[in-house]
Amino acid sequence: MELVVQFQVLNQSCQCLAWKPHPATAWGTESQHVVAGYSDGTMRVFSISRTEMELKMQPHAAALTAIAYSTDGEMILSGGRDGLVAVSSPRTGMTIRVLADHKGFPITVLQCTRKQYHDFGVEGGELWLATSSDQRVSVWASDWLKDKCELLAWLSFPAPAGPKGFGSLPPSLATFCPWDPDTLVYVGFGVQKEALFYNLRKKQVVEKISLPYFATSISLSPAAHFMAVGFDEQLLRLLHCPDGAAQDYAGHDDTVHLCRFAPSGRHLLTASHSAVLVWELTGS
């Protein structure tokens, strides 16, 4: 429990970050890279092993709000407060594609996953999604080496008229379901407080799980059918899917704005304004 390495960028706020995927065979020092997005529209790639910044790019004119590596680590997807999504190469430092489908609404989530077989009748070996603060999710199939990127689904979840300004609304969040590659899970401001399971093949919501409040964070376990949901009410809920059996946990003194399962599924990390908690899942 000690600080190993620290990077500091003066006069800029770090808004988002992502680890570069590493080979499944070993945890090599060469693969330990982090990309971070900043309030001035820049992103920086840091080498953990060499404790230095390797690359600085500015694919956006607005602050970055979401960032992710492609599954092979060869591309970086970044989303801005203005709703633009950029695809950049960390090898060349060049931005190869800018997508304006969510323009005007801050990007809240970017996530990539390997596409199964030749699913959904489109080319590419990767699926990725973008979520914006207007309750919309776009799902794409891509093959970056062939410069192919095809829109697979455009989802818009209904919501009542809310107060002006997205900062006062619960965030729109979506994630691919680890135990069902055809499904994504969405939470956000809506008619009901619930988590929606949307099947990309059937093109419909196939399951709904009620929540006590609007969610502020969400994570699905890669090892078991568990979903962690954080709330503004200082509450963490662990749900078993699909039966919806729930267990609530206190411990935070502010909004639970981050939930993240470890790859093993045995631990869960949650964060609020001034605390980071690590939970151990037993008997799962």
Side-chain angles (χ1 to χ4, degrees):
M1 295 295 293
E2 66 181 62
L3 180 64
V4 178
V5 62
Q6 179 175 343
F7 301 100
Q8 188 171 12
V9 177
L10 298 177
N11 304 319
Q12 293 300 328
S13 173
C14 181
Q15 308 280 338
C16 49
L17 55 82
W19 283 91
K20 181 179 180 180
H22 57 84
T25 54
W27 177 259
T29 55
E30 290 302 311
S31 68
Q32 295 188 43
H33 288 82
V34 168
V35 62
Y38 290 87
S39 53
D40 62 349
T42 61
M43 60 185 184
R44 293 166 170 83
V45 177
F46 298 100
S47 168
I48 304 300
S49 54
R50 289 193 288 272
T51 63
E52 65 182 16
M53 185 182 76
E54 291 190 349
L55 181 66
K56 176 183 175 182
M57 297 177 279
Q58 185 159 9
H60 297 270
L64 270 71
T65 51
I67 202 163
Y69 272 98
S70 61
T71 54
D72 61 6
E74 292 299 314
M75 293 294 168
I76 298 173
L77 285 70
S78 55
R81 189 172 299 279
D82 56 5
L84 297 182
V85 175
V87 182
S88 306
S89 168
R91 289 185 181 272
T92 65
M94 302 292 291
T95 297
I96 64 170
R97 186 183 290 263
V98 175
L99 303 169
D101 299 71
H102 291 271
K103 186 176 181 180
F105 301 93
I107 301 297
T108 53
V109 178
L110 290 170
Q111 186 190 13
C112 303
T113 185
R114 293 194 185 278
K115 187 159 68 71
Q116 307 292 318
Y117 336 111
H118 292 288
D119 282 354
F120 311 110
V122 293
E123 289 189 48
E126 182 167 278
L127 285 183
W128 62 275
L129 63 78
T131 309
S132 52
S133 58
D134 58 344
Q135 299 89 42
R136 295 179 187 269
V137 181
S138 60
V139 183
W140 306 76
S142 61
D143 187 334
W144 302 120
L145 293 178
K146 296 181 180 179
D147 194 30
K148 291 188 176 180
C149 184
E150 182 177 343
L151 181 64
L152 182 67
W154 181 260
L155 313 177
S156 181
F157 295 94
K164 292 183 179 180
F166 295 108
S168 58
L169 293 178
S172 301
L173 305 171
T175 180
F176 290 111
C177 183
W179 56 82
D180 185 353
D182 295 343
T183 300
L184 63 83
V185 181
Y186 171 84
V187 295
F189 183 61
V191 179
Q192 303 292 334
K193 302 177 181 69
E194 58 191 0
L196 303 175
F197 288 70
Y198 183 91
N199 188 285
L200 293 166
R201 286 189 182 279
K202 298 179 181 179
K203 299 182 178 180
Q204 64 183 33
V205 174
V206 294
E207 184 184 344
K208 298 180 180 180
I209 295 181
S210 296
L211 301 174
Y213 313 102
F214 287 118
T216 51
S217 55
I218 183 174
S219 182
L220 274 63
S221 170
H225 292 199
F226 283 102
M227 177 170 65
V229 187
F231 302 99
D232 190 37
E233 288 73 15
Q234 308 172 15
L235 183 71
L236 171 69
R237 171 166 287 194
L238 187 65
L239 288 154
H240 184 266
C241 304
D243 57 36
Q247 182 68 49
D248 291 337
Y249 299 91
H252 287 284
D253 58 0
D254 207 327
T255 300
V256 184
H257 64 76
L258 177 72
C259 298
R260 191 69 51 82
F261 276 101
S264 66
R266 295 178 182 177
H267 293 89
L268 172 69
L269 182 145
T270 60
S272 60
H273 174 69
S274 59
V276 176
L277 303 184
V278 179
W279 309 78
E280 183 176 11
L281 277 71
T282 57
S284 59

